[in-house]
Amino acid sequence: MAVTVEQKTTFCRICEPLCGMVATVEDGRLVALRPDREHPLSTGFACQKGIAFTEVVNDPDRVTVPLRRTPSGFEEVSWDDAMADIASRLAAVLSEHGSGAVGWYMGNPGAFSYSHVASVLAFTKGLGRRTHFFTASSQDTNSRLMASQLLYGTPTSVPIPDLVRTDLLVVMGANPVVSHGSFLTAPRIKDRMHDIVRRGGRVVVIDPRRSETAAAFEWLGIVPDTDAFLLLSLLQVLFAEGLADITALAARADGIDWLRTQVAPFTPESAERFTGIDPDAVRALARDLASTDRAAVYGRLGTCAGRFGTLTSYLIDVVNLVAGNLDEPGGSVINGLGLPGQRWVNVAMGAVLRRTYRRRRSRIGGFPALIGSEPAALMAKEILTPGERQIKALFVSAGNPVLSVPNGDELEAALDSLELSVALDFYLTETTARCDYVLPVTTMYERDDFPLTFQPFQATPFRQATKAVIDPVGKARQEWQIIGELMRRSSGSAPAFAAFSAAARVLRKAGGELTPRLLADVVIRMAAGGDRFGLRRGGLTFRRLIREQPHGSVLAPHLRTGALKEAIAYLGGRIALSHSDIADQIAALSSRSHPDGFPMRMIGMREARSENSWMHNAPLLMRGDRNHHGLMNADDAAELGIADGGQVLVTSPYGQIALPVSVTADLVSGVVALPHGWGHKGTGGWRLANRAGGVNVNQLTSSEPGDVESLSGMAWLTGVPVRVDKA
Ligand SMILES: Nc1nc2c(c(=O)[nH]1)N[C@H]1C(S)=C(S)[C@@H](COP(=O)(O)OP(=O)(O)OC[C@H]3O[C@@H](n4cnc5c(=O)[nH]c(N)nc54)[C@H](O)[C@@H]3O)O[C@H]1N2
Ligand SMILES: Nc1nc2c(c(=O)[nH]1)N[C@H]1C(S)=C(S)[C@@H](COP(=O)(O)OP(=O)(O)OC[C@H]3O[C@@H](n4cnc5c(=O)[nH]c(N)nc54)[C@H](O)[C@@H]3O)O[C@H]1N2
Ligand code: SF4
Ligand SMILES: [Mo]
């Protein structure tokens, strides 16, 4: 029999550039992935992870049937049995304890599927306001979102650097050469940064480690978790040297005098004690930011995950504003979806989100609900602490929180105490293997998609949608199908679920189907480039994108500027600089202490061949017997008698791990860099990952409410005090 071989155009959804891909499908099976040369932005680039995804789809360790945990291990069950039992146990929890006893954690890959996000929101909102909702955002972006909520009135207005036009890019706490860019969708981001240098500009990287990005451009080393001091001192110089255009500022923002007073004490000399950065370098940078026509400061995980993440993210935007670089070509630009009446959409959404933030508090720690969610760092305590709203039933989709949230051991133990735990995943991980049920989901190539989450963060405005390139492997189902069925089966438990099921029935009778795709289609049609339901001839729809623009559609050569007002959700359309919360953070900054006995600081480190915790089972990525190791400054190591490759004990006030370290000159003294996402100790079912092992660095981080960033609920993952000893 002849084999049918098809080449299908699609795109990768492991990380944020969303590189164009071509899938080779043989008799319905994915056999290879290669970069799409016709993709207008990624133009034939894909990284090793993207290529290796064939091995994830076809992984012999992949979960492709519903599994139920028994005392002697997991057993296969039918979908019907699994769903019936889950629905009935959920009903029991709801009737005994109410909707406050149910929690959902959605991990990072969830954000890459519009239908996953939409259905989880439908489920958690449908159950009611008391339901607990956690996402990986509180290990990733919450502080950035909170800064936007303060400055612009809504967490959804996030500026990105106008990468393709800037002449001075200051990268703080990001390593795009390895991460490929985050909160910034820019395929071939390394090439785009080299373009800046090629056109006579500069890329300056502020990082405790001479990262792969710093090594390719200019490096300014900084002590971890001190960026706020640097940014405050940049502002001090901008004001003191008269580099700020006060009239232009006053036209856009309220609170300039307040700001000026706040930053006045932070001279570069006073900041140097904390940051270790030469005052002359700070002054030169401030002058360059003000005098370069097209300049932008961009911060990411390293500036978000410290103890002052909201303040730091806020200050990054304020430096951009005061230096005259916000909403300017080549500067830092907020690029919305381009919906009709975008300004009023933001005003309405901002009002709702700020109200939720003011009114809803987490049970543990009393944290306000940013974007309607709770800090995942507190999930274990929400499970373990008795009382009203104690979590008894937990759903985990696309997440491995045992390895990704602070104090993984605590969470791992907490999972065992639940009355019901259900995972939607395609691996048995350190988290899912602790659950009562593991429901097999499709991978990204087994579902249609439109990367809704990432549309506003594209350095070049662009749209692409894809069909599923293969049918679901085994008995896998898409998340929205699983969640939809659970809602149907639980119609008696929540009025919203009953309404949803009724609407689905009506639509089905009319020959339609109630799916999240309706939502994605509406966004595509109403947003920039869309057909506005026939008002704009030739405009985009989901279907047209798939049929007529398989490689995607570039909407404009660069970001739109001069429309800042649209992005601001405050009624007056002005940026709000003055906040007592920010003043409190600035005051706390100078009085914070470093515990005795922990002289060093831990930072994270992403690796080109890892994706958080979940790609350590792909042979292509694990070639060369990869293992988990940290990095240490050579002088520090020599002082402690630690040799290159030597085993060390790393101890924080919260825990201890042992791992080997490589010794390097590319690290500020007093810092150890430890990759996260390792620590596959055999509880999971991924055999290759288990053999590689490693340790969970989140045994060193804290889940105490006092260590969670108070404004945003962001976990504290960088700059954690540690001691390193020779093992
Ligand atoms: N290969 C690969 N790519 C990935 C991922 C992966 O695991 N592997 N993960 C994806 C995810 S989920 C995300 S969120 C993005 C993250 O994308 P990025 O933020 O670009 O990636 P990180 O490597 O976390 O970069 C953080 C940088 O901040 C530095 N840093 C740490 N602490 C501080 C500090 O206090 N101040 C300053 N100035 N710098 C500091 C670190 O040394 C590091 O170089 O990457 C995505 N892409
Ligand atoms: N110490 C420290 N901790 C960190 C970080 C750090 O830098 N340092 N970085 C943090 C960051 S930025 C993030 S984003 C979080 C990540 O935290 P998590 O999202 O909790 O963890 P991941 O390791 O990304 O796990 C993703 C899971 O989703 C599954 N998966 C993959 N694709 C799909 C899919 O399409 N559908 C479903 N249902 N499942 C899928 C994978 O098998 C895996 O089990 O953790 C973070 N934790
Ligand atoms: S850079 Fe990210 S999106 Fe591009 S191929 Fe690699 S993993 Fe996929
Ligand atoms: Mo992330």
Side-chain angles (χ1 to χ4, degrees), residues 14-16 47 49 108 139-141 171-182 206-209 211-212 222-227 298-303 306 602-613 667 673 676 718-719:
I14 300 170
C15 74
E16 294 172 53
C47 79
K49 293 178 296 166
N108 172 272
Q139 293 106 265
D140 180 335
T141 61
V171 177
M172 296 183 79
N175 185 13
V177 166
V178 168
S179 72
H180 303 284
S182 184
I206 299 170
D207 199 304
R209 181 167 78 88
S211 67
E212 294 74 0
I222 188 169
V223 172
D225 205 12
T226 65
D227 300 77
Y298 161 69
R300 198 49 199 95
L301 207 72
T303 50
M602 173 191 101
I603 62 169
M605 182 175 122
R606 282 181 156 71
E607 299 164 301
R609 286 195 274 152
S610 296
E611 180 68 15
N612 297 327
S613 74
L667 203 56
H676 75 286
T718 197

Side-chain angles (χ1 to χ4, degrees), residues 559-571:
L559 300 174
R560 190 164 67 108
T561 55
L564 184 65
K565 238 184 183 153
E566 272 179 28
I568 298 179
Y570 293 122
L571 268 178

Side-chain angles (χ1 to χ4, degrees), residues 11-21 42 45-51 112 178-180 187-188 444-445 611 615:
F11 55 91
C12 181
R13 283 146 276 167
I14 300 170
C15 74
E16 294 172 53
L18 308 162
C19 303
M21 285 285 185
S42 62
F45 172 83
C47 79
Q48 317 171 61
K49 293 178 296 166
I51 302 297
F112 290 80
V178 168
S179 72
H180 303 284
R188 287 186 171 272
M444 61 187 170
Y445 291 118
E611 180 68 15
M615 291 195 79

